[in-house]
Amino acid sequence: CGPDPSLNVTISEEDWVPISALQHFSYCPRQCALIHVEQVFEENLHTMRGQAVHRLVDTPDTSREHGVRVERALPLYSRRLGLTGKADVVEFGTDGTAYPVEYKHGPRREKLHDDLQLAAQAFCLEEMTGKVVPEGALFHHSSRRRRTVQITAKLRQLVEALVPQVREMLRSNRLPPPVNDSRCHNCSLLDLCQPKLLSATRQLAQELSHLFKVEEES
């Protein structure tokens, strides 16, 4: 799969979706809404470590390393998808092919929402350069190792499917219900989200609604 030739379809810039929102939404729609709709954010150990790692690549810069042009903090966009964001690092081969590298603070492990973020960057780079981006990498700072991510057809389809969902959620200004599962344990917004309390309240309301329900006679 390469760049989509149907680039004549444009989306109003006020409806463009931040790549970071796509990543947050793929992890937890409620987390995405709290950050991008309610504009709330709280620090925890994980977010502070992540910010420390990203400070290494937050300053725009161009250099050459081992004959490869390296761009840091490169602004990205896709007019077709209505996506915007910034790449930590993009390495450009001698033929101009882009290779995005996203920095993560944790150890090397596979996470779909991180892969989707990289695939969204690939869409933008393909539109910006006109060249196919077949793969990129996630650099895990804790282990100092890269994990190569193939920008597969499946990843591309997921990005294409999720972007309109994120856009609709951002337009609606509504918070999705809490999930109250394993995703909540390391979330910095746990205290603000209150998933356990809200899930219990919603369940109680459902039970009360059926408490005095009269069964129809057969």
Side-chain angles (χ1 to χ4, degrees), residues 168-189:
E168 182 57 34
M169 189 202 70
L170 296 178
R171 282 174 177 168
S172 72
N173 287 318
R174 290 195 300 269
L175 280 176
V179 292
N180 192 30
D181 62 19
S182 60
R183 288 172 288 179
C184 304
H185 298 162
N186 295 322
C187 180
S188 65
L189 302 182

Side-chain angles (χ1 to χ4, degrees), residues 48-91:
M48 287 188 288
R49 284 175 175 170
Q51 289 184 8
V53 168
H54 278 89
R55 277 196 287 272
L56 300 172
V57 288
D58 269 351
T59 303
D61 179 59
T62 302
S63 62
R64 295 198 73 84
E65 300 177 11
H66 307 291
V68 175
R69 178 164 62 93
V70 179
E71 298 281 352
R72 292 178 173 82
L74 181 67
L76 302 176
Y77 67 86
S78 169
R79 290 192 177 91
R80 182 179 70 84
L81 290 177
L83 274 175
T84 184
K86 183 172 65 174
D88 287 341
V89 172
V90 180
E91 300 169 353

Side-chain angles (χ1 to χ4, degrees), residues 17-210:
V17 171
I19 293 175
S20 59
L22 179 68
Q23 182 202 23
H24 292 140
F25 185 91
S26 66
Y27 181 75
C28 172
R30 184 173 174 85
Q31 182 198 69
C32 179
L34 284 167
I35 294 172
H36 297 276
V37 175
E38 298 293 321
Q39 301 291 308
V40 298
F41 190 78
E42 282 198 356
E43 296 283 11
N44 68 3
L45 181 61
H46 300 286
T47 59
M48 287 188 288
R49 284 175 175 170
Q51 289 184 8
V53 168
H54 278 89
R55 277 196 287 272
L56 300 172
V57 288
D58 269 351
T59 303
D61 179 59
T62 302
S63 62
R64 295 198 73 84
E65 300 177 11
H66 307 291
V68 175
R69 178 164 62 93
V70 179
E71 298 281 352
R72 292 178 173 82
L74 181 67
L76 302 176
Y77 67 86
S78 169
R79 290 192 177 91
R80 182 179 70 84
L81 290 177
L83 274 175
T84 184
K86 183 172 65 174
D88 287 341
V89 172
V90 180
E91 300 169 353
F92 287 91
T94 54
D95 64 348
T97 298
Y99 189 92
V101 181
E102 187 67 15
Y103 276 50
K104 301 297 177 183
H105 72 84
R108 186 177 183 268
R109 60 168 64 100
E110 291 191 23
K111 294 182 178 178
L112 180 60
H113 51 281
D114 290 342
D115 293 4
L116 286 169
Q117 180 184 15
L118 207 60
Q121 292 181 5
F123 269 116
C124 294
L125 288 164
E126 288 176 343
E127 186 172 324
M128 292 166 64
T129 66
K131 291 183 176 293
V132 175
V133 178
E135 66 179 35
L138 295 163
F139 176 78
H140 297 272
H141 193 262
S142 296
S143 59
R144 301 296 197 279
R145 294 178 64 191
R146 282 189 179 190
R147 175 169 68 87
T148 301
V149 176
Q150 301 295 326
I151 311 301
T152 63
K154 182 178 179 180
L155 271 181
R156 292 175 184 275
Q157 290 164 4
L158 282 171
V159 171
E160 295 259 16
L162 284 176
V163 170
Q165 295 179 42
V166 180
R167 180 174 294 113
E168 182 57 34
M169 189 202 70
L170 296 178
R171 282 174 177 168
S172 72
N173 287 318
R174 290 195 300 269
L175 280 176
V179 292
N180 192 30
D181 62 19
S182 60
R183 288 172 288 179
C184 304
H185 298 162
N186 295 322
C187 180
S188 65
L189 302 182
L190 180 62
D191 291 338
L192 291 169
C193 180
Q194 292 293 316
K196 187 174 181 179
L197 175 62
L198 293 177
S199 295
T201 301
R202 190 169 69 252
Q203 183 178 356
L204 178 61
Q206 290 173 347
E207 290 174 354
L208 287 173
S209 69
H210 294 290

